[in-house]
Amino acid sequence: MKATALFRKLSLEEFQKSKLKDSINLASSALQTAVIKVTDEFFAPASMMLNPEPPIHAPNKFVETGSWMDGWESKRHNESYDWCIIKLGFPGTIDGFDIDTSYFTGNHAPAVSVEATYLPHGTALENDVEWTEILPKVELSPNSNNIFALEKQTAVYTHLRLNNYPDGGIARFRVYGNINPKFPENKDEIIDLLFIGNGGKAVYASDEYYGSGNLLILPGRGTNMGDGWQTARSRVEGYSDYIVFRLGAAGHILQAEVDTTHFRGNYPKQIKIEATNTTDNIPGKDAKWLTIVKPSNTGPDNVFYFDSAYTDKVFTHIKLSIFPDGGIKRLRLYGIVDGGKIPTSPIIAPTAVKRKMIAEPLTSEAYAPYGDVIHAPGAKSVTSANQGTAEKYHQVAEVNNLFPKGNGRMNLCIFHCRPSTELPFTVKLLERHPYSSQAFIPMTDGKVRGYLVIVALNGADDRPDMSTLKAFIATSKQGISYRQGVWHHPMVVLEHEADFVVVVHESGVPNDDCNEVEVAHTLVQVPGFHDI
């Protein structure tokens, strides 16, 4: 379906003065936005367009396909056009775009258009998807920020299709807008009122020298010190930095979580949190601030919890002060929306980590209680094959179908998995297949060093026995098979997208095919893939 979208092209100077400057980039991979399907990415993967960091220039760097480019680049001579389907991490309304062609000079995309659809439960790969054009075909300049502001804000969308006419390179695809949060129907449910996915937003910061304040409210815990809020060093006696946030919804703040993960020599000595209630986007000088967390000590590379001093008050904004300066990874404010029932304090934060563990290399011996490692050394026997030009490794893993009355049918399928944006990784849920083993066999393209396997045995209460929880790092040359009934986390890929051949038996009855439960949060450190 076509729609006439009115827009205006902005210069960088005009962009700095526009509302786009203060909007959220809905297409950032930091929001877990991901590429679902792309027609061609011969020279550079489309996922690089979603990198929140500015593109870089590396003229002397070459890869197998030619010059390395920081962005999406398809091959030449397309007789029609290329396209890329993107799933937004959070549904939202859209006000404009920056189709950035930085460092693409003789190879940039000459023109693009953008379509959108709202499919909260779909993949956007269905044949009957209705796409609405929200940016008509526009010409792009090379090595430039091509910024387009829409005259009217769009409806809420979940997926975008970027059309590249006819082919070429795009460094970054930025989609400026606002997240459309979906709150629990039960107002008594404790949520993170500050979370970016719930509509929270930084509205003012005294200093963002090393990192934006909005990094504090992103999903997950990030991968390194670079994705936290960090200010410049202060040499002034009694100095402090601060940042003001607008909550996603007015509510009662019950507990604050201050995370200094990866900040080891540059964490703030103390923090203080104040809150106010105002209809202003940025609280004015006459705002009445109440101290909900008095000045309190923090420490390096850890998570700290502070109970609110005013759980009975309804707030719309908070101010986080750090003394004298430094960096924080994440800030969570757990509470209930206005109108909910205030629980008895103190509360246990929904994300509170109950235990920590370190993932270990995957071996057949260590993994034996949970299933089989699929690799040549695990074979029961080896015979010659193909007229002596190959070896056949027999029975590398069990394949079990224990469905009653033989109701299970084999499903040989492929899982396309996107990498985790959170390391160390937090285990929040586990699943099992009661009647079938499930095998994952990586189809590596040489870009994946490994993946994370998290397993636990069944307990006496028919839930995961968390005392048996183990985490393993599998190499790209190792497959794994979960024994039927063994609890495991959904596949966690590290560093790069990967495909897996999967062998599982299914009956079509959801409760017989797969059970899923939430578990006490466990933090898994993955040596070799992040700082420890």
Side-chain angles (χ1 to χ4, degrees):
M1 182 175 69
K2 293 287 184 179
T4 302
L6 300 177
F7 66 92
R8 186 167 65 93
K9 190 168 184 179
L10 304 182
S11 66
L12 271 176
E13 183 179 356
E14 291 173 321
F15 169 76
Q16 295 296 331
K17 299 176 182 178
S18 74
K19 68 177 182 179
L20 299 185
K21 175 68 167 60
D22 297 319
S23 298
I24 300 293
N25 176 14
L26 299 175
S28 169
S29 60
L31 298 185
Q32 299 177 345
T33 294
V35 171
I36 301 300
K37 190 171 183 179
V38 60
T39 52
D40 183 272
E41 49 185 1
F42 182 83
F43 287 108
S47 60
M48 293 175 71
M49 286 192 304
L50 311 182
N51 186 344
E53 296 297 322
I56 61 175
H57 189 35
N60 297 319
K61 183 176 180 179
F62 292 87
V63 292
E64 184 179 350
T65 54
S67 296
W68 180 87
M69 297 299 294
D70 191 2
W72 171 36
E73 185 181 2
S74 60
K75 60 177 174 282
R76 299 187 185 211
H77 312 310
N78 192 336
E79 295 183 0
S80 56
Y81 64 93
D82 285 310
W83 51 260
C84 173
I85 294 177
I86 295 166
K87 181 182 184 298
L88 299 178
F90 300 100
T93 56
I94 298 168
D95 294 303
F97 307 89
D98 179 5
I99 297 98
D100 184 349
T101 57
S102 291
Y103 309 117
F104 285 90
T105 52
N107 54 347
H108 74 288
V112 299
S113 68
V114 182
E115 298 169 287
T117 189
Y118 181 73
L119 286 173
H121 305 296
T123 66
L125 300 179
E126 296 85 356
N127 292 328
D128 59 350
V129 175
E130 291 189 6
W131 293 97
T132 299
E133 186 178 77
I134 58 175
L135 181 69
K137 188 175 181 179
V138 292
E139 293 185 356
L140 302 183
S141 299
N143 196 27
S144 303
N145 292 89
N146 296 274
I147 302 170
F148 303 94
L150 302 180
E151 287 198 4
K152 291 185 179 180
Q153 189 178 75
T154 70
V156 175
Y157 293 116
T158 58
H159 295 75
L160 302 177
R161 183 164 67 185
L162 175 63
N163 301 311
N164 178 344
Y165 303 102
D167 50 53
I170 298 170
R172 294 292 184 269
F173 179 48
R174 303 184 182 98
V175 179
Y176 297 112
N178 291 285
I179 289 170
N180 184 58
K182 184 178 181 181
F183 296 105
E185 294 183 5
N186 180 10
K187 286 190 172 184
D188 299 341
E189 185 174 330
I190 295 175
I191 64 171
D192 179 3
L193 293 169
L194 190 58
F195 180 48
I196 197 169
N198 289 333
K201 187 178 180 182
V203 294
Y204 182 81
S206 63
D207 186 292
E208 294 178 303
Y209 191 86
Y210 290 109
S212 164
N214 272 320
L215 295 172
L216 287 174
I217 58 177
L218 290 178
R221 302 182 73 199
T223 56
N224 56 48
M225 192 176 67
D227 57 6
W229 175 51
Q230 185 181 179
T231 66
R233 293 192 187 215
S234 167
R235 310 297 184 183
V236 179
E237 185 73 23
Y239 183 84
S240 68
D241 279 312
Y242 68 94
I243 184 167
V244 178
F245 287 95
R246 186 192 68 220
L247 302 181
H252 300 268
I253 299 172
L254 307 174
Q255 188 179 77
E257 176 186 301
V258 178
D259 185 347
T260 62
T261 297
H262 298 128
F263 288 93
R264 299 183 177 96
N266 50 353
Y267 59 92
K269 287 185 177 180
Q270 287 190 321
I271 61 96
K272 180 177 74 170
I273 302 177
E274 300 166 275
T276 190
N277 190 319
T278 178
T279 57
D280 296 332
N281 184 49
I282 302 177
K285 294 181 179 180
D286 58 344
K288 296 179 180 179
W289 294 95
L290 293 177
T291 300
I292 62 172
V293 177
K294 65 183 181 181
S296 304
N297 294 335
T298 66
D301 197 32
N302 213 329
V303 181
F304 304 87
Y305 296 92
F306 306 97
D307 293 328
S308 171
Y310 290 95
T311 59
D312 59 323
K313 305 290 186 183
V314 174
F315 298 113
T316 59
H317 292 71
I318 69 100
K319 178 164 64 175
L320 169 68
S321 298
I322 58 176
F323 304 93
D325 50 44
I328 293 175
K329 192 62 169 292
R330 296 289 185 267
L331 175 65
R332 309 295 186 201
L333 293 179
Y334 301 112
I336 56 173
V337 297
D338 187 15
K341 182 180 178 181
I342 302 173
T344 303
S345 294
I347 67 165
I348 298 176
T351 59
V353 173
K354 301 299 187 297
R355 59 181 295 201
K356 297 181 180 181
M357 64 192 314
I358 299 176
E360 61 186 74
L362 180 67
T363 65
S364 296
E365 294 74 20
Y367 189 71
Y370 310 97
D372 299 303
V373 178
I374 302 174
H375 59 165
K380 296 291 191 297
S381 62
V382 183
T383 59
S384 180
N386 293 355
Q387 291 76 47
T389 62
E391 288 73 47
K392 183 177 181 180
Y393 292 82
H394 296 267
Q395 300 174 322
V396 292
E398 293 184 1
V399 179
N400 292 321
N401 175 14
L402 302 181
F403 277 90
K405 300 180 182 180
N407 288 336
R409 297 182 61 185
M410 179 182 287
N411 183 1
L412 179 65
C413 53
I414 293 176
F415 273 49
H416 179 73
C417 302
R418 288 175 286 278
S420 171
T421 58
E422 177 191 351
L423 290 177
F425 185 80
T426 303
V427 179
K428 303 174 184 177
L429 59 86
L430 294 173
E431 65 179 28
R432 69 175 176 184
H433 307 281
Y435 301 111
S436 174
S437 56
Q438 185 185 38
F440 279 79
I441 305 164
M443 301 167 64
T444 179
D445 58 2
K447 298 178 181 178
V448 178
R449 288 191 293 145
Y451 56 99
L452 190 59
V453 179
I454 301 167
V455 287
L457 300 178
N458 196 39
D461 58 354
D462 201 31
R463 287 179 55 85
D465 179 356
M466 296 302 282
S467 69
T468 67
L469 186 74
K470 297 278 284 185
F472 300 95
I473 303 171
T475 72
S476 60
K477 294 184 177 182
Q478 292 175 310
I480 53 101
S481 176
Y482 303 114
R483 189 170 293 118
Q484 67 277 2
V486 166
W487 294 97
H488 56 275
H489 195 280
M491 178 56 63
V492 182
V493 174
L494 304 170
E495 296 182 318
H496 197 274
E497 295 181 4
D499 290 339
F500 293 82
V501 172
V502 176
V503 181
V504 65
H505 288 81
E506 298 169 337
S507 66
V509 179
N511 287 338
D512 287 348
D513 288 341
C514 185
N515 308 145
E516 184 178 291
V517 296
E518 294 182 352
V519 296
H521 290 198
T522 299
L523 191 70
V524 179
Q525 295 182 328
V526 189
F529 290 88
H530 65 93
D531 295 334
I532 294 181

